Structure formats: structure tokens, C-alpha cells
Amino acid sequence: MATAGKVIKCKAAVAWEAGKPLSMEEVEVAPPQAMEVRDKILYTALCHTDVYFWEAKGQTPVFPRILGHEAGGIVESVGEGVTELVPGDHVLPVFTGECKECAHCMSEESNLCDLLRINVDRGVMIDDGQSRFTIDGKPIFHFLGTSTFSEYTVIHVGCVAKIDPEAPLDKVCLLSCGISTGLGATLNVTKPKKGMTVAIFGLGAVGLAAMEGARMSGASRIIGVDLNPAKHEQAKKFGCTDFVNPKDHTKPVQEVIVEMTDGGVNRAVECTGNADAMISAFECVHDGWGVAHKEAVFKTHPMNFL
């Protein structure tokens, strides 16, 4: 393309500081360096993770920053060493990448790549520790190595997945995060067998995708848990057989689920990121498929589960 090797000026939504409205700015996007690609972002979705780090409540504040990580686009140019992608390829940015060489990438048990695992505090590129975004010469930081709230963005090649050009980018952009996260958690991690019972906590995009995974696996009973009763009708389309709203009960929701399933479910998938929901999901699993509830309290940071 004619822009290859040149700085591109384009529009981006910039978060200048925590909790303040994003500002549409003209940014300069540098050419991709070694093992990087520059993508033209055509569609980007909004994930609650973007909001979470925009608010920066309890996280390291990295500003000014271009958020966004769930998108679909087309490769504009590639940096030195990139052989698997060419300009014009349709791609999805992926915040948990693969170097395809480390022990994690070579394992069937993990995708926490030594080089490209998620790092929410890093606002620069791995190759040289510099940002590819600037405004009037001043750096604007990256987010999750993707920064899709920009018309053009630079991403490590290991965090870019090539897709079929016939796939509608306005829909498959959701595969950059929410759908893949939920579906993969069920199919690749919990692996329910046909006839099992599954509880899904949180019925947003991730939760519905997790529920679809349970349905595809042949689960006999799929219990959706959410504080919003309006989510029930939508969840039915994804296989929900039972709906439980914790606000409708005086006892902990895990006890409700244990009673309604005669001892607990075979699998539980927590899709909210809320620590209390994690505990409920853990404690609603049947003895033998999980851990029996004891008087002792086990404490660890939620990130350890990730």
C-alpha cells in the first residue's frame, strides 16, 4: 500500500486520564517495526475490560492511552520478519498472543505465552519499548498490545489472527475477546461431558458464549445466574434451562443451586470477574467434581485463577 513505511495520521479515541470522557484526536501512527503489523481497524466493540481500565480503580493508571481490544480489521503493512501476514489480510487483534516457540505455546495445557501474555500495565511495544502512537511528538500509550479505538493501530504479529475474508468484520470482531473467551473457557477448560449439569455466572457476551459451549457439549441442564431478570429470555436462545437471580433468594445462590441440583452442578463457569461470584461458582459444584465446602477459608487474589 502507498502508506507502507510512512507515518499515518488518523482519528483515535484517547483516554487522557482516568474516568474522564474519551477525546477524539488526530494521532500519528508510526510504521510497524520488526515482527509487528499495522492494521486498519474497521470495526471495534466495547468490552467491560476497557471500562475497567479506563476507570483505573485499583489498577496502575497508564495515561494518556488508546483503549480497545475487540475488533476486526485489515493489514495495512507489515514489519521486518513478518511472513505469515501480508497487506490486505483480514485479521482480528488478540490480546493474549502466541510466539509459537515458548513452553506455553508448545503446550496443549496453556496459552500464557512467555513473550506475549497479557500485561495490562505495559503501554509500549515489546521490540523497542516505545509507543507507535504520538500526538505532536508526545507518546500516547498502548492498551493490551492492541489499542483498537484508533483507525490504525500497530500490533505484534503474534497478537494478530488471520481470518476468512468472507467473514463479516462487524460481527466477528466479537471473536477478538468475548465470544472466544466464553466459548473457549467451556470447551477447552471445563470440558463438560454430555448429560452433565453446568452453571454459568453472568449472562453478558462472555457468559452467553460460555453457555453456548455448554449447549454444544450436550449438557442436560444449564443454569444461568444473573442479577438482571431481563437476561433470561436471551439466555434461552443459548441453551439456558434454568435461571436463578440471587436477589430472589435469602440464602447464598450457591446453596440454591446445590439444592436444585441435588448436591451441585458438575461444572461452573464464572463470567463476571466479581470475587463473590467466583466463590459462589466454586461452592455450587458437586462433591467429586469440585471441592467440598469446609469451615476453613481459602483466600487468593482473583488474578491467580486467570
Side-chain angles (χ1 to χ4, degrees):
M1 293 186 178
T3 49
K6 301 176 182 178
V7 172
I8 291 178
K9 291 185 177 182
C10 68
K11 293 291 185 181
V14 177
W16 288 101
E17 53 184 303
K20 295 298 176 67
L22 304 187
S23 175
M24 292 301 299
E25 306 282 357
E26 183 178 75
V27 300
E28 299 97 29
V29 185
Q33 301 303 305
M35 302 307 292
E36 297 172 0
V37 300
R38 187 163 59 184
D39 293 342
K40 181 178 182 179
I41 300 298
L42 297 182
Y43 296 93
T44 186
L46 175 66
C47 174
H48 195 269
T49 299
D50 298 307
V51 178
Y52 185 70
F53 284 93
W54 165 69
E55 293 175 329
K57 295 178 179 178
Q59 306 95 39
T60 303
V62 182
F63 297 98
R65 197 173 209 178
I66 297 175
L67 299 166
H69 64 281
E70 193 173 54
I74 297 175
V75 174
E76 174 270 338
S77 60
V78 303
E80 180 183 353
V82 176
T83 58
E84 57 264 56
L85 293 170
V86 297
D89 282 343
H90 286 216
V91 294
L92 300 177
V94 183
F95 59 86
T96 298
E98 295 182 351
C99 70
K100 301 180 181 178
E101 297 178 354
C102 72
H104 283 284
C105 286
M106 299 301 289
S107 168
E108 294 182 356
E109 298 298 319
S110 171
N111 68 340
L112 294 178
C113 175
D114 287 339
L115 178 67
L116 300 172
R117 70 171 58 199
I118 184 172
N119 184 334
V120 297
D121 296 334
R122 186 176 63 234
V124 294
M125 299 302 292
I126 292 175
D127 179 58
D128 58 3
Q130 301 294 315
S131 174
R132 302 290 176 258
F133 299 111
T134 56
I135 294 179
D136 296 330
K138 297 180 180 180
I140 307 297
F141 295 112
H142 295 250
F143 176 63
L144 297 182
T146 53
S147 291
T148 62
F149 291 175
S150 175
E151 291 179 311
Y152 286 86
T153 187
V154 177
I155 307 173
H156 190 284
V157 67
C159 292
V160 180
K162 182 179 178 180
I163 63 171
D164 189 326
E166 295 299 317
L169 288 170
D170 62 330
K171 295 179 175 62
V172 297
C173 63
L174 296 175
L175 289 169
S176 268
C177 177
I179 304 302
S180 299
T181 301
L183 194 69
T186 303
L187 296 180
N188 299 329
V189 181
T190 62
K191 300 178 182 178
K193 296 180 174 61
K194 186 175 181 179
M196 283 187 167
T197 56
V198 180
I200 308 293
F201 286 74
L203 301 180
V206 176
L208 293 178
M211 185 169 283
E212 174 69 4
R215 185 196 65 78
M216 292 169 59
S217 299
S220 62
R221 195 172 183 185
I222 303 174
I223 302 169
V225 183
D226 203 286
L227 296 172
N228 184 354
K231 299 284 186 72
H232 188 195
E233 286 303 313
Q234 184 74 7
K236 288 180 181 178
K237 301 176 183 178
F238 292 83
C240 184
T241 60
D242 302 82
F243 179 80
V244 178
N245 185 339
K247 293 191 294 186
D248 293 340
H249 303 273
T250 57
K251 63 178 64 176
V253 68
Q254 57 265 44
E255 294 182 15
V256 174
I257 294 174
V258 167
E259 289 180 3
M260 65 189 288
T261 55
D262 192 24
V265 296
N266 302 120
R267 301 283 190 271
V269 187
E270 194 285 312
C271 304
T272 70
N274 179 279
D276 290 334
M278 294 178 188
I279 294 170
S280 296
F282 186 72
E283 293 184 353
C284 80
V285 178
H286 196 291
D287 294 4
W289 286 276
V291 178
H293 179 69
K294 300 293 183 183
E295 292 301 319
V297 176
F298 171 77
K299 291 185 178 180
T300 188
H301 194 281
M303 284 297 290
N304 290 333
F305 279 108
L306 293 180

